[in-house]
Amino acid sequence: MLLFVRYLDEVRFILPDEDEKIWSKKGDDASSKVLENDIPLGIWEVFRLDGEIPTDKLDKDQSGQYSYELIIAVPEVENISELNPSPLFSYFPTEISLPLPVVCHATLELDQSRNHVHHRSSNRYVFDCLAEFLAEVAEKYGSVD
């Protein structure tokens, strides 16, 4: 979540009978370091893309302007192929698994549980944009051995 929300730099977890945990973010829009109680958890190069969904990509019951945001966070590690895949995020993790060693956020219309995507033309459009964006980011890094 800290990687996706531009103006959120710290989250505090205060639970009964446990030490307080503070997750914080340092850096800028292009590169972010995430820390837990000042101990680095990782550094990510962050790529952002946003836009409007064309009206012909909306379902009949959708009207007005629909915008989307895509974020791909690539961890700075020696061997990215050793990382585990993570779920797709729509600010919070969904139950949609991406077989990629990066963290991805997409603005999508989700069901009430916020775990699954509604079958909508607008979501298909956003997924197509995400696939294209992932390809652009992958090209920047070249092939992974």
Side-chain angles (χ1 to χ4, degrees):
M1 178 176 53
L2 287 171
L3 294 170
F4 309 138
V5 182
R6 280 183 203 244
Y7 304 108
L8 180 64
D9 292 327
E10 183 177 283
V11 177
R12 292 176 180 261
F13 298 93
I14 303 170
L15 300 169
D17 303 321
E18 290 189 30
D19 291 337
E20 179 182 40
K21 286 186 183 177
I22 302 170
W23 287 359
S24 59
K25 173 180 68 176
K26 307 276 188 231
D28 55 30
D29 275 351
S31 181
S32 292
K33 180 191 294 186
V34 176
L35 305 107
E36 181 179 312
N37 295 340
D38 293 325
I39 298 169
L41 296 176
I43 299 172
W44 285 264
E45 188 170 0
V46 181
F47 301 87
R48 296 175 182 274
L49 176 72
D50 55 29
E52 298 290 326
I53 299 173
T55 54
D56 65 328
K57 301 297 181 187
L58 299 174
D59 287 331
K60 292 184 189 326
D61 65 334
Q62 295 175 301
S63 61
Q65 285 190 322
Y66 281 75
S67 58
Y68 66 91
E69 178 183 47
L70 303 173
I71 300 170
I72 300 171
V74 180
E76 289 186 11
V77 294
E78 286 185 30
N79 190 352
I80 198 166
S81 63
E82 293 177 5
L83 294 174
N84 293 323
S86 75
L88 175 66
F89 285 75
S90 194
Y91 293 107
F92 297 101
T94 66
E95 290 184 1
I96 301 164
S97 179
L98 292 177
L100 303 168
V102 298
V103 180
C104 293
H105 157 77
T107 307
L108 297 163
E109 288 195 50
L110 303 173
D111 66 6
Q112 274 190 318
S113 71
R114 298 203 42 82
N115 287 319
H116 303 283
V117 176
H118 282 296
H119 295 285
R120 293 183 135 322
S121 298
S122 56
N123 281 340
R124 277 191 294 279
Y125 178 80
V126 172
F127 274 122
D128 288 344
C129 292
L130 178 60
E132 244 179 77
F133 192 38
L134 280 164
E136 290 172 21
V137 170
E139 282 179 7
K140 176 181 164 91
Y141 283 89
S143 64
V144 177
D145 295 330

